[in-house]
Amino acid sequence: MSFCNSSIPQPLTFVLAGIPGLESSHGWFSVPFFLVFVISVIGNTTILCIILVERSLHEPMFLLLAMLSVVDFSLVSVTVPRMLGIFWMNAKEISFNACLTQMFFIPSFYVMESGILLAMAFDRFVAIWHPLRYTTILANNMLVKMALAVLARAVAVLTPAPILAKRLESFQTHVIAYSYCAYMAVVQIACGDISDHIVYGLMVIVASVGFDLFFISLSYGLILHAVFRIPSWEARGKALSTCGSHLCVIALFYSPVVFSVLVQILGYHMAPHLQIIIDNLYFLVPPMINPLIYGARTKQMREWVLRILHCRGD
């Protein structure tokens, strides 16, 4: 329950604080944010172009990687430009409807990325457990169904967020102590009973990240079971190497979430600016690092990037 001695009616505009307590350092923060944006756009565009041009890459693993790049590109496109506007031009005001739009799209792309990582874990499971039926099981129609399921889950889980936020009638302040319109950040400045909103927020985490992490762990448990039944150490190493890039991406993507949840469970209270910086890592680091990981660890991608660089060098 959030009680207010004084309240304001639902405002037409909110003010995004950026990173509270570190306003004087916003200019410095803008440098890594801008670099992340540029590297993410270049990296994910390169991945998409390579997969589009090279027909030999039109197979399940790389088509799923193309989906991941589309979502990563979308994620940085809806988050970073707005943050840079706050850091560079002090453009902190955001209309209520624009805030609701951010509230839906930013976490939606995050949930989509989590779903695609689950699909990629299933891809590796099929490749190792059923190698002879790999292309049959993961035919194009199956990939389309998986993509539609990922999209539908994100829409179903996140559509209530702006609807519930729209129903909030009074607020303690019109300043959101965040760098974007996060659902819980808006709910926390509302007056009245917000217990239903907190329950909904927990349900979103369980239905997306919790669900995906469980089945990703299950997939890799079965993969390890299958790999360690292979008598040849060389064959084991080769089988595991096909999962290396995906495991790196999974660790990178879920680490900030798991860290934040553990911190809250253990009752440790982080400084608000530190919490916001860690929350921003959810949306900034994976889109930048994913293309670098797949570009460095995937032979076909590496050869294409080297070919592009060689042509430019000539």
Side-chain angles (χ1 to χ4, degrees), residues 47-306:
I47 293 284
L48 283 170
C49 290
I50 291 172
I51 294 173
L52 182 66
V53 171
E54 182 54 62
R55 295 190 64 84
S56 67
L57 299 181
H58 293 181
E59 56 184 61
M61 184 178 76
F62 292 105
L63 293 176
L64 287 169
L65 177 57
M67 293 181 204
L68 186 68
S69 291
V70 169
V71 172
D72 279 339
F73 181 87
S74 303
L75 189 54
V76 294
S77 297
V78 299
T79 52
V80 180
R82 180 74 208 187
M83 292 178 185
L84 292 176
I86 296 172
F87 296 154
W88 284 345
M89 296 175 287
N90 204 37
K92 296 183 175 182
E93 287 195 354
I94 183 170
S95 70
F96 189 79
N97 288 331
C99 183
L100 296 179
T101 303
Q102 264 199 348
M103 192 181 294
F104 172 77
F105 279 104
I106 293 178
S108 289
F109 287 127
Y110 184 85
V111 170
M112 285 182 208
E113 180 156 354
S114 182
I116 292 170
L117 291 179
L118 174 58
M120 295 173 86
F122 178 67
D123 167 81
R124 293 298 84 204
F125 167 77
V126 174
I128 289 175
W129 271 79
H130 306 287
L132 299 179
R133 298 174 56 209
Y134 175 67
T135 54
T136 304
I137 295 174
L138 291 174
N140 287 341
N141 62 340
M142 175 58 74
L143 293 177
V144 170
K145 290 177 183 177
M146 290 166 71
L148 290 175
V150 166
L151 177 61
R153 198 264 303 259
V155 172
V157 168
L158 273 309
T159 295
I163 296 173
L164 290 171
K166 184 77 172 178
R167 293 168 59 186
L168 296 171
E169 297 179 352
S170 58
F171 293 82
Q172 305 167 42
T173 176
H174 68 297
V175 178
I176 301 173
Y178 229 71
S179 52
Y180 61 91
C181 276
Y183 174 72
M184 289 308 301
V186 173
V187 166
Q188 285 170 357
I189 62 171
C191 295
D193 186 2
I194 60 171
S195 57
D196 289 345
H197 298 271
I198 294 172
V199 171
Y200 166 70
L202 292 173
M203 287 176 61
V204 169
I205 294 173
V206 172
S208 55
V209 174
F211 178 89
D212 294 343
L213 259 180
F214 173 79
F215 282 102
I216 288 171
S217 301
L218 180 61
S219 294
Y220 273 99
L222 293 171
I223 286 170
L224 290 174
H225 177 69
V227 167
F228 286 108
R229 288 167 59 190
I230 300 173
S232 169
W233 281 97
E234 183 179 352
R236 288 183 188 180
K238 187 176 180 180
L240 288 174
S241 68
T242 63
C243 306
S245 300
H246 188 232
L247 285 171
C248 291
V249 169
I250 288 172
L252 183 72
F253 182 79
Y254 289 110
S255 292
V257 184
V258 173
F259 175 77
S260 292
V261 171
L262 287 176
V263 164
Q264 293 178 23
I265 290 174
L266 296 174
Y268 179 75
H269 297 285
M270 285 189 291
H273 65 268
L274 185 59
Q275 180 66 56
I276 291 171
I277 290 171
I278 291 173
D279 288 350
N280 284 330
L281 293 179
Y282 297 177
F283 307 112
L284 298 178
V285 176
M288 178 184 69
I289 300 297
N290 289 352
L292 301 179
I293 291 174
Y294 281 104
R297 292 185 59 90
T298 307
K299 182 182 176 182
Q300 297 95 321
M301 288 291 176
R302 189 166 60 246
E303 288 174 351
W304 257 94
V305 171
L306 291 174

